[in-house]
Short mmCIF file of all heavy atoms in Angstrom, two decimals:
data_model
loop_
_atom_site.label_atom_id
_atom_site.label_comp_id
_atom_site.label_asym_id
_atom_site.label_seq_id
_atom_site.Cartn_x
_atom_site.Cartn_y
_atom_site.Cartn_z
N ILE A 287 -9.69 -10.85 -7.51
CA ILE A 287 -8.68 -10.91 -6.46
C ILE A 287 -8.83 -12.22 -5.67
O ILE A 287 -9.90 -12.52 -5.15
CB ILE A 287 -8.79 -9.71 -5.50
CG1 ILE A 287 -8.60 -8.40 -6.27
CG2 ILE A 287 -7.80 -9.82 -4.36
CD1 ILE A 287 -7.24 -8.25 -6.93
N ARG A 289 -7.02 -13.11 -2.88
CA ARG A 289 -6.94 -12.85 -1.44
C ARG A 289 -6.50 -11.41 -1.26
O ARG A 289 -5.58 -10.95 -1.93
CB ARG A 289 -5.93 -13.81 -0.79
CG ARG A 289 -5.78 -13.66 0.71
CD ARG A 289 -4.76 -14.66 1.25
NE ARG A 289 -4.54 -14.48 2.69
CZ ARG A 289 -3.61 -15.12 3.40
NH1 ARG A 289 -2.83 -16.01 2.81
NH2 ARG A 289 -3.47 -14.89 4.70
N PHE A 291 -5.69 -8.09 1.60
CA PHE A 291 -5.26 -7.82 2.97
C PHE A 291 -5.03 -6.32 3.13
O PHE A 291 -4.35 -5.69 2.31
CB PHE A 291 -3.96 -8.57 3.27
CG PHE A 291 -3.45 -8.41 4.68
CD1 PHE A 291 -3.86 -9.28 5.67
CD2 PHE A 291 -2.58 -7.38 5.01
CE1 PHE A 291 -3.41 -9.14 6.97
CE2 PHE A 291 -2.13 -7.23 6.30
CZ PHE A 291 -2.54 -8.11 7.30
N ALA A 316 4.77 7.52 3.46
CA ALA A 316 4.73 6.33 2.60
C ALA A 316 5.61 5.23 3.17
O ALA A 316 5.24 4.05 3.13
CB ALA A 316 5.18 6.70 1.20
N LEU A 319 3.72 3.58 6.05
CA LEU A 319 2.67 2.71 5.56
C LEU A 319 3.25 1.40 5.04
O LEU A 319 2.69 0.32 5.27
CB LEU A 319 1.88 3.41 4.46
CG LEU A 319 1.04 4.62 4.89
CD1 LEU A 319 0.51 5.36 3.67
CD2 LEU A 319 -0.12 4.20 5.79
N GLY A 320 4.37 1.49 4.34
CA GLY A 320 4.99 0.28 3.80
C GLY A 320 5.53 -0.64 4.88
O GLY A 320 5.34 -1.87 4.81
N VAL A 321 6.20 -0.08 5.86
CA VAL A 321 6.76 -0.90 6.93
C VAL A 321 5.65 -1.58 7.72
O VAL A 321 5.72 -2.79 8.02
CB VAL A 321 7.64 -0.03 7.86
CG1 VAL A 321 8.00 -0.79 9.14
CG2 VAL A 321 8.91 0.40 7.14
N LEU A 323 2.57 -2.23 6.77
CA LEU A 323 1.93 -3.24 5.93
C LEU A 323 2.77 -4.50 5.89
O LEU A 323 2.26 -5.62 6.05
CB LEU A 323 1.72 -2.67 4.52
CG LEU A 323 1.18 -3.66 3.47
CD1 LEU A 323 -0.16 -4.24 3.90
CD2 LEU A 323 1.07 -2.98 2.11
N ALA A 324 4.06 -4.34 5.67
CA ALA A 324 4.95 -5.51 5.57
C ALA A 324 4.97 -6.32 6.86
O ALA A 324 4.91 -7.56 6.84
CB ALA A 324 6.36 -5.07 5.21
N LEU A 327 1.84 -8.28 7.16
CA LEU A 327 1.81 -9.38 6.21
C LEU A 327 2.65 -10.56 6.68
O LEU A 327 2.37 -11.72 6.31
CB LEU A 327 2.30 -8.91 4.84
CG LEU A 327 1.31 -8.05 4.05
CD1 LEU A 327 2.02 -7.33 2.91
CD2 LEU A 327 0.16 -8.90 3.51
N TYR A 331 0.89 -14.04 6.21
CA TYR A 331 1.53 -15.01 5.33
C TYR A 331 2.80 -15.53 6.03
O TYR A 331 3.91 -15.16 5.64
CB TYR A 331 1.92 -14.37 4.00
CG TYR A 331 0.78 -13.95 3.10
CD1 TYR A 331 0.02 -12.82 3.37
CD2 TYR A 331 0.49 -14.65 1.93
CE1 TYR A 331 -1.01 -12.41 2.52
CE2 TYR A 331 -0.53 -14.25 1.07
CZ TYR A 331 -1.27 -13.13 1.37
OH TYR A 331 -2.27 -12.72 0.52
N PRO A 338 3.00 -14.26 -2.67
CA PRO A 338 3.17 -14.02 -4.11
C PRO A 338 4.63 -13.91 -4.49
O PRO A 338 5.50 -13.61 -3.66
CB PRO A 338 2.42 -12.70 -4.31
CG PRO A 338 1.39 -12.69 -3.24
CD PRO A 338 2.06 -13.31 -2.06
N LEU A 340 5.80 -11.90 -7.00
CA LEU A 340 6.14 -10.57 -7.48
C LEU A 340 5.20 -9.54 -6.88
O LEU A 340 4.03 -9.83 -6.65
CB LEU A 340 6.04 -10.49 -9.01
CG LEU A 340 7.03 -11.30 -9.85
CD1 LEU A 340 6.62 -11.25 -11.32
CD2 LEU A 340 8.44 -10.75 -9.69
N LEU A 341 5.71 -8.34 -6.66
CA LEU A 341 4.90 -7.21 -6.21
C LEU A 341 4.70 -6.24 -7.37
O LEU A 341 5.66 -5.85 -8.04
CB LEU A 341 5.59 -6.48 -5.05
CG LEU A 341 5.95 -7.30 -3.82
CD1 LEU A 341 6.58 -6.40 -2.76
CD2 LEU A 341 4.74 -8.03 -3.26
N ILE A 342 3.45 -5.85 -7.59
CA ILE A 342 3.10 -4.93 -8.67
C ILE A 342 2.42 -3.69 -8.08
O ILE A 342 1.25 -3.75 -7.70
CB ILE A 342 2.14 -5.58 -9.70
CG1 ILE A 342 2.61 -6.98 -10.10
CG2 ILE A 342 1.95 -4.66 -10.90
CD1 ILE A 342 3.89 -7.00 -10.90
N PRO A 343 3.11 -2.56 -7.96
CA PRO A 343 2.44 -1.35 -7.45
C PRO A 343 1.44 -0.81 -8.46
O PRO A 343 1.67 -0.89 -9.68
CB PRO A 343 3.60 -0.38 -7.23
CG PRO A 343 4.70 -0.86 -8.11
CD PRO A 343 4.54 -2.35 -8.25
N VAL A 344 0.33 -0.29 -7.97
CA VAL A 344 -0.65 0.32 -8.87
C VAL A 344 0.02 1.51 -9.57
O VAL A 344 0.52 2.43 -8.91
CB VAL A 344 -1.89 0.79 -8.08
CG1 VAL A 344 -2.83 1.58 -8.99
CG2 VAL A 344 -2.61 -0.40 -7.47
N PRO A 345 0.03 1.51 -10.90
CA PRO A 345 0.73 2.60 -11.61
C PRO A 345 -0.09 3.87 -11.69
O PRO A 345 -1.32 3.84 -11.61
CB PRO A 345 0.96 2.00 -13.00
CG PRO A 345 -0.20 1.07 -13.19
CD PRO A 345 -0.49 0.49 -11.82
N LEU A 346 0.61 4.97 -11.86
CA LEU A 346 -0.01 6.26 -12.16
C LEU A 346 0.13 6.56 -13.64
O LEU A 346 0.99 5.99 -14.32
CB LEU A 346 0.68 7.38 -11.37
CG LEU A 346 0.62 7.32 -9.84
CD1 LEU A 346 1.45 8.47 -9.26
CD2 LEU A 346 -0.81 7.40 -9.35
N ASN A 357 5.41 7.88 -7.20
CA ASN A 357 4.22 7.06 -7.05
C ASN A 357 4.21 6.50 -5.64
O ASN A 357 5.11 5.73 -5.26
CB ASN A 357 4.25 5.92 -8.09
CG ASN A 357 3.03 5.01 -8.00
OD1 ASN A 357 2.25 5.07 -7.05
ND2 ASN A 357 2.88 4.14 -8.98
N GLN A 358 3.22 6.86 -4.84
CA GLN A 358 3.20 6.43 -3.45
C GLN A 358 3.09 4.91 -3.32
O GLN A 358 3.61 4.33 -2.36
CB GLN A 358 2.05 7.12 -2.68
CG GLN A 358 0.65 6.66 -3.03
CD GLN A 358 0.10 7.34 -4.27
OE1 GLN A 358 0.79 8.11 -4.94
NE2 GLN A 358 -1.16 7.07 -4.58
N ALA A 359 2.43 4.25 -4.28
CA ALA A 359 2.33 2.79 -4.23
C ALA A 359 3.71 2.15 -4.38
O ALA A 359 3.99 1.12 -3.76
CB ALA A 359 1.38 2.29 -5.31
N VAL A 360 4.57 2.75 -5.20
CA VAL A 360 5.94 2.24 -5.35
C VAL A 360 6.71 2.39 -4.05
O VAL A 360 7.42 1.47 -3.60
CB VAL A 360 6.67 2.95 -6.51
CG1 VAL A 360 8.15 2.59 -6.51
CG2 VAL A 360 6.04 2.60 -7.84
N LEU A 361 6.58 3.55 -3.40
CA LEU A 361 7.29 3.78 -2.14
C LEU A 361 6.85 2.78 -1.07
O LEU A 361 7.68 2.29 -0.29
CB LEU A 361 7.05 5.20 -1.66
CG LEU A 361 7.54 6.33 -2.58
CD1 LEU A 361 7.22 7.68 -1.97
CD2 LEU A 361 9.03 6.20 -2.85
N ILE A 362 5.57 2.48 -1.02
CA ILE A 362 5.06 1.48 -0.08
C ILE A 362 5.61 0.10 -0.45
O ILE A 362 6.08 -0.66 0.41
CB ILE A 362 3.53 1.48 -0.07
CG1 ILE A 362 3.00 2.79 0.53
CG2 ILE A 362 2.97 0.28 0.70
CD1 ILE A 362 1.51 3.00 0.37
N ALA A 363 5.59 -0.20 -1.74
CA ALA A 363 6.04 -1.52 -2.21
C ALA A 363 7.52 -1.75 -1.94
O ALA A 363 7.94 -2.89 -1.69
CB ALA A 363 5.74 -1.67 -3.70
N VAL A 364 8.32 -0.71 -2.00
CA VAL A 364 9.76 -0.84 -1.73
C VAL A 364 9.98 -1.42 -0.33
O VAL A 364 10.81 -2.31 -0.13
CB VAL A 364 10.47 0.52 -1.89
CG1 VAL A 364 11.86 0.47 -1.26
CG2 VAL A 364 10.56 0.89 -3.35
N GLN A 365 9.24 -0.92 0.65
CA GLN A 365 9.39 -1.41 2.01
C GLN A 365 8.90 -2.85 2.14
O GLN A 365 9.52 -3.68 2.81
CB GLN A 365 8.63 -0.50 2.98
CG GLN A 365 9.10 0.93 3.00
CD GLN A 365 10.57 1.07 3.35
OE1 GLN A 365 11.09 0.33 4.19
NE2 GLN A 365 11.24 2.01 2.73
N VAL A 366 7.77 -3.15 1.50
CA VAL A 366 7.23 -4.51 1.55
C VAL A 366 8.21 -5.49 0.93
O VAL A 366 8.48 -6.57 1.47
CB VAL A 366 5.86 -4.58 0.85
CG1 VAL A 366 5.35 -6.02 0.81
CG2 VAL A 366 4.85 -3.68 1.56
N SER A 367 8.78 -5.11 -0.21
CA SER A 367 9.75 -5.96 -0.89
C SER A 367 10.99 -6.19 -0.01
O SER A 367 11.48 -7.32 0.11
CB SER A 367 10.16 -5.32 -2.21
OG SER A 367 11.16 -6.06 -2.85
N ARG A 368 11.47 -5.13 0.59
CA ARG A 368 12.69 -5.24 1.41
C ARG A 368 12.47 -6.13 2.62
O ARG A 368 13.31 -6.97 2.95
CB ARG A 368 13.12 -3.84 1.86
CG ARG A 368 14.36 -3.80 2.74
CD ARG A 368 14.73 -2.37 3.08
NE ARG A 368 13.69 -1.69 3.82
CZ ARG A 368 13.54 -1.78 5.15
NH1 ARG A 368 14.35 -2.55 5.87
NH2 ARG A 368 12.58 -1.12 5.76
N LEU A 370 9.87 -8.38 3.25
CA LEU A 370 9.40 -9.74 2.98
C LEU A 370 10.29 -10.50 2.02
O LEU A 370 10.17 -11.72 1.89
CB LEU A 370 7.98 -9.70 2.41
CG LEU A 370 6.87 -9.16 3.30
CD1 LEU A 370 5.51 -9.35 2.64
CD2 LEU A 370 6.88 -9.83 4.66
N VAL A 372 10.22 -10.23 -1.26
CA VAL A 372 9.49 -10.53 -2.50
C VAL A 372 9.91 -9.50 -3.55
O VAL A 372 9.83 -8.30 -3.30
CB VAL A 372 7.96 -10.48 -2.29
CG1 VAL A 372 7.23 -10.77 -3.59
CG2 VAL A 372 7.54 -11.46 -1.20
N PRO A 373 10.34 -9.95 -4.73
CA PRO A 373 10.82 -8.99 -5.74
C PRO A 373 9.73 -8.00 -6.16
O PRO A 373 8.55 -8.34 -6.25
CB PRO A 373 11.21 -9.90 -6.92
CG PRO A 373 11.47 -11.23 -6.32
CD PRO A 373 10.52 -11.35 -5.16
N LEU A 374 10.18 -6.78 -6.43
CA LEU A 374 9.30 -5.70 -6.87
C LEU A 374 9.49 -5.48 -8.36
O LEU A 374 10.62 -5.31 -8.83
CB LEU A 374 9.64 -4.42 -6.09
CG LEU A 374 9.04 -3.10 -6.58
CD1 LEU A 374 7.52 -3.16 -6.56
CD2 LEU A 374 9.55 -1.94 -5.72
N LYS A 375 8.40 -5.51 -9.11
CA LYS A 375 8.44 -5.28 -10.56
C LYS A 375 7.75 -3.95 -10.83
O LYS A 375 6.54 -3.89 -11.03
CB LYS A 375 7.75 -6.44 -11.27
CG LYS A 375 8.16 -6.63 -12.72
CD LYS A 375 7.67 -7.96 -13.25
CE LYS A 375 8.03 -8.15 -14.73
NZ LYS A 375 9.48 -8.29 -14.94
N ARG A 376 8.51 -2.88 -10.83
CA ARG A 376 7.96 -1.53 -10.89
C ARG A 376 7.27 -1.22 -12.21
O ARG A 376 6.27 -0.51 -12.25
CB ARG A 376 9.06 -0.49 -10.67
CG ARG A 376 9.76 -0.58 -9.33
CD ARG A 376 10.88 0.42 -9.28
NE ARG A 376 11.71 0.26 -8.10
CZ ARG A 376 12.03 1.22 -7.27
NH1 ARG A 376 11.57 2.44 -7.48
NH2 ARG A 376 12.81 1.00 -6.23
N ALA A 379 3.28 -3.05 -14.90
CA ALA A 379 1.94 -2.56 -15.25
C ALA A 379 2.01 -1.07 -15.58
O ALA A 379 2.84 -0.33 -15.06
CB ALA A 379 0.98 -2.79 -14.09
N ARG A 381 -0.76 2.38 -16.82
CA ARG A 381 -2.09 2.89 -17.14
C ARG A 381 -2.13 3.29 -18.60
O ARG A 381 -1.23 4.00 -19.07
CB ARG A 381 -2.45 4.08 -16.26
CG ARG A 381 -2.80 3.70 -14.82
CD ARG A 381 -3.31 4.92 -14.07
NE ARG A 381 -3.54 4.63 -12.67
CZ ARG A 381 -4.73 4.39 -12.13
NH1 ARG A 381 -5.81 4.40 -12.90
NH2 ARG A 381 -4.86 4.15 -10.85
N PHE A 404 -5.72 -0.58 -17.79
CA PHE A 404 -4.35 -1.00 -17.51
C PHE A 404 -3.86 -1.99 -18.56
O PHE A 404 -4.65 -2.71 -19.19
CB PHE A 404 -4.26 -1.69 -16.14
CG PHE A 404 -4.60 -0.80 -14.98
CD1 PHE A 404 -5.88 -0.78 -14.45
CD2 PHE A 404 -3.64 0.02 -14.42
CE1 PHE A 404 -6.20 0.03 -13.38
CE2 PHE A 404 -3.95 0.85 -13.34
CZ PHE A 404 -5.23 0.86 -12.83
N VAL A 415 0.95 -13.06 -8.08
CA VAL A 415 1.45 -11.70 -7.89
C VAL A 415 0.58 -10.97 -6.88
O VAL A 415 -0.55 -11.36 -6.60
CB VAL A 415 1.48 -10.91 -9.22
CG1 VAL A 415 2.32 -11.64 -10.26
CG2 VAL A 415 0.07 -10.69 -9.76
N ALA A 416 1.13 -9.90 -6.33
CA ALA A 416 0.38 -9.06 -5.38
C ALA A 416 0.38 -7.62 -5.87
O ALA A 416 1.44 -7.06 -6.17
CB ALA A 416 0.99 -9.13 -3.99
N ILE A 417 -0.80 -7.05 -5.98
CA ILE A 417 -0.95 -5.62 -6.23
C ILE A 417 -0.70 -4.87 -4.93
O ILE A 417 -1.22 -5.26 -3.88
CB ILE A 417 -2.37 -5.31 -6.75
CG1 ILE A 417 -2.60 -5.96 -8.12
CG2 ILE A 417 -2.62 -3.81 -6.80
CD1 ILE A 417 -4.05 -5.89 -8.58
N ILE A 418 0.06 -3.79 -4.99
CA ILE A 418 0.32 -2.95 -3.82
C ILE A 418 -0.36 -1.61 -4.03
O ILE A 418 -0.17 -0.95 -5.05
CB ILE A 418 1.84 -2.73 -3.60
CG1 ILE A 418 2.57 -4.06 -3.46
CG2 ILE A 418 2.06 -1.85 -2.36
CD1 ILE A 418 2.25 -4.83 -2.21
N ASP A 419 -1.14 -1.19 -3.02
CA ASP A 419 -1.82 0.11 -3.10
C ASP A 419 -1.85 0.75 -1.73
O ASP A 419 -1.57 0.09 -0.71
CB ASP A 419 -3.24 -0.07 -3.65
CG ASP A 419 -3.76 1.17 -4.36
OD1 ASP A 419 -3.06 2.20 -4.36
OD2 ASP A 419 -4.87 1.12 -4.92
N ASP A 420 -2.19 2.04 -1.69
CA ASP A 420 -2.26 2.74 -0.41
C ASP A 420 -3.61 2.57 0.27
O ASP A 420 -3.70 2.38 1.47
CB ASP A 420 -1.90 4.23 -0.57
CG ASP A 420 -2.71 4.92 -1.67
OD1 ASP A 420 -3.52 4.26 -2.35
OD2 ASP A 420 -2.53 6.14 -1.84
N VAL A 421 -4.69 2.63 -0.52
CA VAL A 421 -6.03 2.51 0.06
C VAL A 421 -6.95 1.85 -0.96
O VAL A 421 -6.85 2.10 -2.16
CB VAL A 421 -6.59 3.89 0.49
CG1 VAL A 421 -6.65 4.87 -0.66
CG2 VAL A 421 -7.97 3.74 1.14
N VAL A 422 -7.82 0.98 -0.47
CA VAL A 422 -8.85 0.36 -1.31
C VAL A 422 -10.18 0.97 -0.91
O VAL A 422 -10.52 1.00 0.28
CB VAL A 422 -8.89 -1.17 -1.10
CG1 VAL A 422 -10.00 -1.79 -1.94
CG2 VAL A 422 -7.55 -1.79 -1.47
N THR A 427 -10.26 -0.35 -8.98
CA THR A 427 -8.91 -0.27 -9.55
C THR A 427 -8.23 -1.62 -9.49
O THR A 427 -7.60 -2.07 -10.46
CB THR A 427 -8.09 0.79 -8.80
OG1 THR A 427 -8.67 2.08 -9.00
CG2 THR A 427 -6.65 0.82 -9.30
N ALA A 428 -8.33 -2.31 -8.34
CA ALA A 428 -7.70 -3.62 -8.19
C ALA A 428 -8.27 -4.62 -9.18
O ALA A 428 -7.54 -5.42 -9.77
CB ALA A 428 -7.89 -4.12 -6.76
N LEU A 431 -6.87 -3.80 -12.71
CA LEU A 431 -5.46 -4.15 -12.82
C LEU A 431 -5.28 -5.66 -12.78
O LEU A 431 -4.45 -6.22 -13.52
CB LEU A 431 -4.67 -3.48 -11.70
CG LEU A 431 -3.17 -3.73 -11.67
CD1 LEU A 431 -2.52 -3.46 -13.02
CD2 LEU A 431 -2.50 -2.89 -10.58
N ALA A 432 -6.03 -6.35 -11.94
CA ALA A 432 -5.95 -7.82 -11.88
C ALA A 432 -6.28 -8.43 -13.23
O ALA A 432 -5.65 -9.41 -13.66
CB ALA A 432 -6.88 -8.35 -10.80
N LEU A 435 -3.26 -8.13 -15.42
CA LEU A 435 -2.19 -9.03 -14.98
C LEU A 435 -2.50 -10.48 -15.36
O LEU A 435 -1.60 -11.24 -15.73
CB LEU A 435 -2.00 -8.91 -13.47
CG LEU A 435 -1.46 -7.55 -12.99
CD1 LEU A 435 -1.51 -7.46 -11.47
CD2 LEU A 435 -0.04 -7.33 -13.50
N VAL A 443 -3.95 -13.28 -8.32
CA VAL A 443 -3.63 -11.89 -7.99
C VAL A 443 -4.12 -11.61 -6.57
O VAL A 443 -5.32 -11.75 -6.30
CB VAL A 443 -4.27 -10.89 -8.98
CG1 VAL A 443 -3.90 -9.46 -8.58
CG2 VAL A 443 -3.83 -11.19 -10.40
N HIS A 444 -3.20 -11.26 -5.69
CA HIS A 444 -3.53 -10.86 -4.34
C HIS A 444 -3.52 -9.34 -4.29
O HIS A 444 -2.88 -8.68 -5.11
CB HIS A 444 -2.52 -11.43 -3.35
CG HIS A 444 -2.51 -12.93 -3.28
ND1 HIS A 444 -2.41 -13.61 -2.10
CD2 HIS A 444 -2.60 -13.88 -4.25
CE1 HIS A 444 -2.43 -14.92 -2.34
NE2 HIS A 444 -2.54 -15.10 -3.65
N LEU A 445 -4.21 -8.79 -3.34
CA LEU A 445 -4.25 -7.34 -3.15
C LEU A 445 -3.76 -7.02 -1.75
O LEU A 445 -4.35 -7.45 -0.76
CB LEU A 445 -5.68 -6.81 -3.33
CG LEU A 445 -5.92 -5.33 -2.99
CD1 LEU A 445 -5.04 -4.42 -3.84
CD2 LEU A 445 -7.39 -4.98 -3.16
N TRP A 446 -2.65 -6.29 -1.68
CA TRP A 446 -2.09 -5.86 -0.40
C TRP A 446 -2.15 -4.34 -0.36
O TRP A 446 -1.49 -3.65 -1.14
CB TRP A 446 -0.64 -6.32 -0.25
CG TRP A 446 -0.47 -7.80 -0.13
CD1 TRP A 446 -1.45 -8.74 0.02
CD2 TRP A 446 0.78 -8.53 -0.17
NE1 TRP A 446 -0.89 -10.00 0.09
CE2 TRP A 446 0.46 -9.90 -0.01
CE3 TRP A 446 2.11 -8.14 -0.30
CZ2 TRP A 446 1.44 -10.89 0.00
CZ3 TRP A 446 3.09 -9.12 -0.29
CH2 TRP A 446 2.77 -10.48 -0.13
N ALA A 447 -2.93 -3.81 0.54
CA ALA A 447 -3.08 -2.36 0.66
C ALA A 447 -2.87 -1.94 2.11
O ALA A 447 -3.16 -2.71 3.04
CB ALA A 447 -4.46 -1.91 0.19
N SER A 448 -2.39 -0.73 2.30
CA SER A 448 -2.17 -0.25 3.66
C SER A 448 -3.48 -0.04 4.40
O SER A 448 -3.56 -0.27 5.60
CB SER A 448 -1.38 1.06 3.63
OG SER A 448 -0.10 0.85 3.10
N SER A 449 -4.51 0.40 3.70
CA SER A 449 -5.77 0.72 4.37
C SER A 449 -6.96 0.39 3.49
O SER A 449 -6.81 0.22 2.27
CB SER A 449 -5.80 2.20 4.76
OG SER A 449 -5.74 3.03 3.60
#
Side-chain angles (χ1 to χ4, degrees):
I287 300 298
R289 181 180 177 186
F291 183 89
L319 293 170
V321 168
L323 174 58
L327 285 165
Y331 292 75
L340 293 172
L341 304 182
I342 313 292
V344 173
L346 298 176
N357 180 349
Q358 72 277 5
V360 170
L361 298 180
I362 292 170
V364 165
Q365 300 302 323
V366 176
S367 176
R368 179 177 62 84
L370 296 187
V372 179
L374 168 60
K375 202 168 178 67
R376 299 176 188 231
R381 285 187 185 259
F404 296 95
V415 303
I417 294 170
I418 303 292
D419 207 356
D420 52 357
V421 58
V422 178
T427 296
L431 180 51
L435 293 171
V443 180
H444 296 221
L445 172 59
W446 292 351
S448 296
S449 63

